[in-house]
Amino acid sequence: MNTSLLLQNIGNHVQLDAGEAEFLLSLFQPKVLKRKAFLLRQGEVCRSENFIVKGCVKVYSLDENGFEHILMFGIEGWWVGDLLSFLTGRESRYHIEALEDTELLQITKPDLDLLYERVPKMERFFRILLQNAFIAHMERINQSLSLDAAGRYGEFIRKYPAFGQRIPQKQIAAYLGITPVFLSMLRKKLMEG
């Protein structure tokens, strides 16, 4: 599996020498998911942090009526997992499902701890990653509370223009907390100007 995207992602925040990069790569294991396959199911413990090399996934929960509530999508160059479950060993409240055939590089908690010990600058990398994720989640919560559906959709297409071509409208509607029919009306309204 191609590891250059992972090294490029890490290189955006910390510089690794050849030995550090080789050690880091030795701790990651490849995983391939077919479309509609699960990386994680609600009730399981998340045993790895996952870097997406190729493909697209969604992280979601199901309510008591079986409706999906999508927290996030992940594409190439993104990290995905359930951090609470990963760090605490608690059962996950989320499903992570492939929307496309997906290739991942995974690292387990014991291997991540070993990486921190042997390559301390990776703690800095993951701190920056967590800070950015926290900011993104805070922005998403704020938008959910303060913007109407049209505003949320506008922000979604502004921030993630490529998602509209890859992710079914039904999934985008679930992410925005609206029905597919209402999303269709919003899209039509936007096209009309």
Side-chain angles (χ1 to χ4, degrees):
M1 187 171 292
N2 188 346
T3 58
S4 60
L5 188 58
L6 174 63
L7 292 174
Q8 178 185 339
N9 181 270
I10 292 167
N12 288 335
H13 302 292
V14 296
Q15 300 309 309
L16 302 177
D17 65 34
E20 291 168 334
E22 184 179 340
F23 179 70
L24 174 136
L25 292 176
S26 75
L27 299 176
F28 279 83
Q29 300 303 315
K31 173 131 181 131
V32 176
L33 296 174
K34 291 288 185 193
R35 183 176 174 268
K36 295 192 175 187
F38 286 88
L39 175 62
L40 181 70
R41 289 183 188 266
Q42 184 177 357
E44 296 175 347
V45 174
C46 184
R47 303 277 182 211
S48 62
E49 272 298 298
N50 308 277
F51 180 78
I52 303 171
V53 175
K54 181 180 178 220
C56 181
V57 301
K58 64 179 176 178
V59 179
Y60 67 98
S61 62
L62 292 172
D63 67 20
E64 61 277 355
N65 297 316
F67 291 111
E68 284 186 11
H69 300 279
I70 298 176
L71 274 68
M72 68 172 281
F73 298 105
I75 59 170
E76 295 86 1
W78 289 33
W79 292 83
V80 67
D82 178 346
L83 195 59
L84 177 64
S85 177
F86 179 73
L87 293 175
T88 65
R90 289 192 219 160
E91 292 180 354
S92 178
R93 292 185 290 181
Y94 306 108
H95 297 280
I96 302 176
E97 181 181 346
L99 294 175
E100 301 171 354
D101 289 350
T102 300
E103 298 175 6
L104 305 157
L105 289 168
Q106 301 182 301
I107 189 165
T108 63
K109 177 111 176 47
D111 282 343
L112 184 59
D113 289 339
L114 181 61
L115 180 62
Y116 290 159
E117 186 181 307
R118 295 258 189 96
V119 186
K121 62 182 88 169
M122 288 305 297
E123 282 190 314
R124 179 177 190 272
F125 171 77
F126 279 101
R127 176 185 51 81
I128 292 168
L129 196 69
L130 289 175
Q131 287 172 329
N132 291 339
F134 179 77
I135 290 166
H137 284 291
M138 292 299 290
E139 287 178 350
R140 176 143 156 71
I141 291 167
N142 184 51
Q143 289 170 4
S144 292
L145 295 172
S146 64
L147 297 178
D148 64 10
R152 292 193 308 273
Y153 179 65
E155 279 299 301
F156 178 80
I157 58 174
R158 183 187 66 76
K159 283 179 79 171
Y160 311 113
F163 282 14
Q165 306 306 313
R166 293 179 74 173
I167 297 172
Q169 296 303 302
K170 178 181 175 185
Q171 306 290 327
I172 293 172
Y175 175 84
L176 296 171
I178 59 178
T179 66
V181 171
F182 191 69
L183 178 58
S184 182
M185 290 178 5
L186 277 176
R187 289 169 47 88
K188 184 178 178 188
K189 200 174 184 180
L190 283 172
M191 285 184 185
E192 292 171 353

